[in-house]
Amino acid sequence: MKNLSYVRTEMLPEQAPPVGETGIIKWMRENLFSGWMNSILTILGLVAVYFILLETLPWALDSTWNAGSLNECRENAPGACWAVINERFPQLVFGFYPNGTDGDPDQRWRIIVAFVLLLVAVAPVLFDKLPRKMILFSAIYPFFGYWLLWGGTIWGPLTAIAGFAIAYIVYRVLAPMAGNLVAVIASILTPIVWWLFLAGPIAGALGDVAPIGLMAIPSSKFGGLALSVIIGVAGIALSFPIGVLLALGRQSNLFIIKTLSVAYIEFIRGVPLITLLFVASVLLNYFLPPGTNFDIILRVVIMVTLFSAAYMAEVIRGGLAALPRGQYEAADALGLDYWKANRLIIMPQALKIAIPGIVGTFIGLFKDTTLVSIIGLMDPLALTNAIRADQDWNGIVWELYLFVALMFWVFTFFMSRYSMYLERKLQTGH
Amino acid sequence: MKNSVIFGTVAAAASLAAGLASAGTLDDVKAKGELACGVTTGLVGFAAPDANGNWEGFDVAVCRAVAAAVLGDANAVKFVPTTGKTRFTALASGEIDMLARNTTWTFSRDVDLKFTFVGVNYYDGQGFMVPKELGVSSAKELDGATVCIQTGTTTELNLADYFRSNGMSYEPVPIETNAEAQQQFLAGACDVFTTDASGLAATRATFENADDYMLLPEIISKEPLGPLVRHGDEQWGDIVRWTLNALITAEELGITSANLEEMAAGTNNPEINRLLGTEGDLGGMFGLDKEWAKRAIAVGGNYGEIFEKNIGENTAIGLARGLNAQWKQGGLIYSPPFR
């Protein structure tokens, strides 16, 4: 009786969990067949996927990549005619940028370099672990990228940058002597005078002395995905700061600023983007003096920016409105002035709340760039029409649209993944 | 392709700007060193960029001929793709120097929009395409048919007129683009597809089983397509008009790209000599040199050669000359004499 024990003295060996509770089976039970309703839906879904693939896969796979025309394609394979993508890929990406066939040397490397440098310039903005010095490159990239893409003399962008340097110097010199307000006004006026009256002749003179430059490419040569990215990136980069200012303006206590912001936002949101693009392409031609050649891409970028800035402002205002009143009061209690409070306390939190909306607006803007086909710019969608107008490829529809869709999907997918990454990183709740 | 609603709004503004922007187009073009020519964003056989971005086509050939005549270089052309909605403002505002974009010559465009149609380079007309299995042989048998029709064009109005005047009814299937029309028609969403006959032929040529489809013999509208310029600069209008006429006359007189040099050395036919500049100085009358027409013809040959190369019977589109034959062959292509 002494050693009698009702308690087990040694551990039972571990056993594998039941088959139904592990691995793929468990996952399927939980996710696909949890209950009879979901099981039916799963089976219906699988059947639908099966039939869709049954129709599309043979078409997509039993295809040809090498042919000179749609008829050749049809002789080679009954399915898709990817040969059109094979032949027109450079055009869909680079548009009409000189490719070395019309006597001029191949210039397409400039688009590639500009794009790679764009990634470099954007990186420090997107990822805060990178060295902060890189932001300097981001600051000059707009000028450098413009020069790379449009070419011409390098002195144009350099004198444009010089305007900002002048503004900085003027501010630094005047601020101690004449006070803050005078310095700010002077530092706004001097670069404008510089850009309007001095930059052009000086750039011209420097260009005569040291003719450094790239072959100038007119805007009519831009097209394809490159054009969409240029308009999209420029629109995104410009509309964000304008949107922030408009959102603050709408919240402002100053009557005129508030009224102007509200009027602007409501006006732009009441007008379709196509209308603004028509204004850019058609009406501006009448308003401007005859002979003025106001670059069409620039006009479109301005209109796209103005348009999406209004939406951006409302998205950011949503973030501002979601911020508890206490945060504003805390900023006031700390004795921060308006700009400091916004920069250090309000905006970081408001923008974080608004990230999904902001990125949604960006993605919408990027996809809206395809509307420029309506005013005759050769974006990828307009190019599908132009390619179809070639006798060799007339009659091809799905292959081209699928490819354009894929190109846009790649860009928008990365934007949305980044926004999810950012949301996770800035997550401070529990 | 044809009429658009934006018309009226544009018209008023166009008339204002036309007078301002148009003085001295020839000098402008020479100063720029290139001709800004409005074309379509892509229409089979008439204008399309190839894989290297070079524009080719029947309308493009007119642009190139004018550039060669004026600037001496057929490649000194800046092709400005225009849509049906932007083409007229682009021309009226001076963004382009001429428009060669299969545009129908109509009263209101000529008079109200203040453009000068310098001639006709293609006589088109609206036709019908049906599947053979529908079993009709005439448009008069189409009562009750579903018709694929591009919205917002004169095609739509012509169709309505035709069916009404023949006491028939139809059910329209509105579509936006030609590509969409092809898909809808092939999928059987409509019995009939109607648009310009040249467009129908080009569309039919792309079908996998083109023989299962046929064009009906009826042509229900007149669509004279031609290049146009702004009102107010007669000299420039004359240059474009007579460049087109030079191509047409060259065919009539048997001047081709093959025998051009031979002919230009001097012939017994005084009209050939006047045209190619070996006799007289016709070019000097509108500010060009003697050999302007010779250069224009050298680009792509005469009118007939351009037609054959881009849209003729040996191309995929396979259009017969029909109305677009020389007047001596029973067509309408006719140039006033070079004298």
Side-chain angles (χ1 to χ4, degrees), chain A residues 74 91 282 285 374 391 394, chain B residues 44 50 83 89 95 179 206 310:
Chain A
R74 283 172 177 162
Q91 193 168 48
V282 173
N285 277 341
I374 293 168
Q391 294 183 19
N394 189 8
Chain B
V44 187
D50 69 4
T83 66
T89 36
E95 189 184 342
T206 69
N310 292 300

Side-chain angles (χ1 to χ4, degrees), chain A residues 47-305:
Chain A
V47 169
V49 169
Y50 172 76
F51 278 108
I52 290 171
L53 288 181
L54 195 67
E55 286 294 315
T56 54
L57 264 193
W59 176 82
L61 295 179
D62 194 2
S63 58
T64 180
W65 282 90
N66 289 301
S69 72
L70 179 58
N71 286 333
E72 272 182 46
C73 269
R74 283 172 177 162
E75 284 164 20
N76 289 346
C81 182
W82 301 113
V84 65
I85 309 294
N86 195 10
E87 187 191 295
R88 295 299 182 116
F89 177 75
Q91 193 168 48
L92 282 165
V93 173
F94 299 108
F96 297 94
Y97 220 70
N99 62 359
T101 51
D102 58 349
D104 300 319
D106 195 339
Q107 300 287 322
R108 289 175 298 182
W109 61 270
R110 283 159 55 175
I111 291 187
I112 298 171
V113 170
F115 184 69
V116 171
L117 290 181
L118 169 70
L119 298 182
V120 177
V122 165
V125 182
L126 298 187
F127 302 103
D128 59 358
K129 293 208 178 66
L130 291 166
R132 290 292 87 191
K133 287 261 168 65
M134 280 176 74
I135 212 96
L136 275 178
F137 178 74
S138 310
I140 61 163
Y141 176 79
F143 304 96
F144 187 64
Y146 173 83
W147 176 68
L148 259 181
L149 291 170
W150 272 269
T153 165
I154 196 170
W155 298 110
L158 285 184
T159 45
I161 297 177
F164 290 102
I166 289 171
Y168 179 74
I169 293 168
V170 166
Y171 179 79
R172 269 307 165 90
V173 172
L174 279 185
M177 285 161 35
N180 206 22
L181 185 65
V182 176
V184 166
I185 292 173
S187 68
I188 290 171
L189 288 181
T190 35
I192 290 175
V193 171
W194 164 262
W195 283 321
L196 285 183
F197 301 108
L198 294 171
I202 290 178
L206 283 169
D208 290 339
V209 178
I212 308 169
L214 290 165
M215 191 178 121
I217 313 277
S219 284
S220 57
K221 296 280 182 192
F222 286 79
L225 185 65
L227 178 68
S228 292
V229 173
I230 290 170
I231 297 175
V233 168
I236 287 172
L238 292 170
S239 69
F240 182 67
I242 299 177
V244 170
L245 290 180
L246 281 171
L248 290 177
R250 193 168 186 167
Q251 302 275 49
S252 169
N253 297 325
L254 304 172
F255 177 73
I256 292 180
I257 290 182
K258 183 179 173 133
T259 316
L260 284 179
S261 302
V262 171
Y264 173 86
I265 291 169
E266 294 306 331
F267 172 72
I268 294 281
R269 293 208 307 167
V271 177
L273 179 56
I274 294 183
T275 314
L276 290 178
L277 289 175
F278 273 124
V279 168
S281 117
V282 173
L283 278 182
L284 278 184
N285 277 341
Y286 290 123
F287 295 151
L288 296 170
T292 350
N293 203 352
F294 191 9
D295 191 273
I296 180 72
I297 294 182
L298 185 61
R299 277 184 272 167
V300 166
V301 166
I302 291 173
M303 286 303 176
V304 168
T305 304

Side-chain angles (χ1 to χ4, degrees), chain A residues 70-71 74 78 87-88 90-91 95-97 99 101-102 218 220 278 281-283 285-286 290-291 293 296 299 373-378 382-383 385-391 393-398 401, chain B residues 6 10 13-14 17 20-21 41-45 47-55 78-79 81-83 85-86 88-90 92-93 95 179 182-183 202-203 205-208 309-311 315-317:
Chain A
L70 179 58
N71 286 333
R74 283 172 177 162
E87 187 191 295
R88 295 299 182 116
Q91 193 168 48
F96 297 94
Y97 220 70
N99 62 359
T101 51
D102 58 349
S220 57
F278 273 124
S281 117
V282 173
L283 278 182
N285 277 341
Y286 290 123
N293 203 352
I296 180 72
R299 277 184 272 167
S373 61
I374 293 168
I375 56 167
L377 287 183
M378 286 300 206
L383 274 174
N385 183 44
I387 291 170
R388 223 179 290 114
D390 188 324
Q391 294 183 19
W393 302 118
N394 189 8
I396 286 190
V397 179
W398 293 105
Y401 282 143
Chain B
I6 203 159
V10 170
L20 295 170
T41 50
L43 180 69
V44 187
D50 69 4
N52 289 320
N54 298 316
W55 286 84
K78 177 182 163 196
F79 289 102
T82 55
T83 66
K85 297 180 180 71
T86 62
F88 295 123
T89 36
S93 68
E95 189 184 342
Q182 289 183 23
Q183 297 290 311
T203 303
T206 69
F207 290 172
E208 204 159 358
K309 177 170 177 287
N310 292 300
I311 52 180
T315 64
I317 307 171

